[in-house]
């Protein structure tokens, strides 16, 4: 049966699924060892500043990112906001994240993108929340940085903090981005790039140059994390590609 978030039964089922998913991530992540291998000073700078930042990472690293951001930002007193669509998946994300105290902005980056942008902007400016904006979401292509992050940074004048995640062993889910789920007792490695400020006044050529720059920074940080994890620095494997027996058997 397909769960529908616009029905009472669907909302109830999604609420149960959210609880199960939250518990699973919580229990699984307790077995992981997490280490920042580059850019710890940038996280310290974020925690020391009174203003929010825009948090970015690649879509298929979201399972690794969630407990890290909860432990290192949310539990340290920073409010984190996440964009979730009005779809079934968005409702599941909402039911999973809200009990952790995460501020959820409802809206779609593909349909009604303006509403989503303004909702995220309001969370950032009025609530002081640091929003998670996944630059290759919600449907890819994987590892292609979209300009929406830059528009939010220009509008809000908040800096972007690029975060990269890798682990030494994981399951690969058969989604468009080959979502990575670290196995029990995996080692997770994190690399951060410096805070990025986007000028407010940019023409189309400047926006594209800034987009390429942010994509390059996030890929370089990802390679640093992957090198520390001892896995091939191979970003953007096509869906269905053979990643090798040590990565996703």
């Amino acid at each position: 049966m397909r769960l529908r978030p616009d029905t009472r039964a669907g909302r109830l089922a999604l609420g149960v699924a959210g609880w199960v998913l939250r518990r699973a991530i919580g229990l699984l992540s307790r077995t992981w060892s997490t280490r920042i291998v580059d850019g710890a000073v940038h996280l310290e700078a974020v925690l020391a500043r009174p203003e929010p930042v825009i948090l970015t990472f690649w879509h298929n690293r979201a399972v690794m990112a969630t407990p890290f951001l909860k432990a290192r930002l949310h539990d340290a007193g920073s409010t984190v906001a996440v964009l979730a669509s009005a779809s079934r998946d968005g409702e599941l994300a909402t039911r999973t994240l809200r009990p952790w105290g995460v501020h959820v902005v409802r809206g779609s980056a593909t349909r009604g993108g303006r509403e989503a942008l303004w909702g995220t902007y309001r969370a950032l400016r009025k609530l002081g929340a640091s929003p998670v904006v996944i630059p290759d979401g919600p449907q890819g292509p994987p590892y292609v940085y979209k300009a929406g992050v830059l528009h939010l940074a220009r509008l809000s004048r908040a800096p972007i903090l690029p975060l990269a995640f890798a682990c030494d062993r994981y399951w690969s889910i058969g989604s468009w981005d080959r979502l990575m789920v670290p196995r029990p007792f995996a080692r997770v490695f994190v690399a951060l790039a410096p805070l990025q400020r986007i000028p407010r006044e940019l023409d189309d050529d400047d926006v594209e140059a800034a987009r390429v720059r942010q994509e390059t920074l996030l890929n370089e940080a990802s390679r640093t994390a992957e090198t520390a994890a001892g896995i091939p620095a191979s970003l953007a494997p096509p869906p269905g590609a053979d990643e090798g027996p040590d990565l996703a058997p």
Side-chain angles (χ1 to χ4, degrees):
M1 180 180 69
R2 185 175 180 82
L3 300 180
R4 294 178 52 186
D6 58 342
T7 65
R8 182 177 179 181
R11 288 192 296 271
L12 178 61
L14 287 166
V16 173
W19 181 86
V20 171
L21 184 58
R22 186 171 61 256
R23 290 286 294 172
I25 293 175
L27 292 172
L28 191 59
S29 65
R30 289 177 188 176
T31 73
W32 304 339
S33 62
T34 301
R35 181 162 65 95
I36 299 176
V37 295
D38 190 41
V41 64
H42 307 314
L43 181 61
E44 294 169 3
V46 168
L47 293 173
R49 51 182 282 121
E51 298 295 325
V53 300
I54 300 170
L55 307 164
T56 63
F57 49 84
W58 293 131
H59 195 279
N60 64 359
R61 318 296 167 105
V63 174
M64 288 179 266
T66 298
F68 178 84
L69 294 178
K70 181 182 182 300
R72 302 298 180 98
L73 283 177
H74 175 75
D75 292 351
S78 297
T79 302
V80 177
V82 174
L83 174 66
S85 70
S87 67
R88 178 192 58 183
D89 291 346
E91 184 68 20
L92 178 58
T94 299
R95 298 301 183 108
T96 302
L97 296 172
R98 270 186 178 160
W100 275 335
V102 174
H103 181 79
V104 180
V105 177
R106 301 307 298 267
S108 173
T110 54
R111 290 180 294 181
R114 184 181 297 273
E115 179 184 355
L117 174 64
W118 280 107
T120 306
Y121 173 82
R122 287 193 296 269
L124 193 156
R125 301 309 305 173
K126 294 186 177 182
L127 300 178
S130 292
V132 171
V133 184
I134 299 179
D136 60 343
Q139 298 175 349
Y143 308 120
V144 175
Y145 204 101
K146 296 178 181 176
V149 184
L150 306 179
H151 297 317
L152 178 62
R154 293 168 63 190
L155 180 67
S156 66
R157 299 190 179 182
I160 299 170
L161 179 66
L163 302 108
F165 299 87
C167 64
D168 60 346
R169 65 195 72 144
Y170 62 87
W171 294 297
S172 183
I173 307 301
S175 56
W176 64 265
D177 62 344
R178 305 302 297 271
L179 180 69
M180 300 176 183
V181 180
R183 297 178 182 179
F185 305 102
R187 294 181 300 159
V188 177
F189 300 88
V190 187
L192 299 89
L195 288 169
Q196 304 292 306
R197 294 191 177 274
I198 308 300
R200 188 151 193 161
E201 300 300 327
L202 295 177
D203 60 27
D204 290 345
D205 290 340
D206 292 334
V207 169
E208 176 59 15
R211 187 199 68 77
V212 172
R213 167 67 175 162
Q214 297 309 309
E215 183 177 290
T216 300
L217 280 172
L218 198 47
N219 282 339
E220 288 176 347
S222 296
R223 292 187 184 97
T224 298
E226 289 173 342
T227 298
I231 64 175
S234 177
L235 295 175
D242 182 9
E243 296 174 284
D246 295 332
L247 299 185

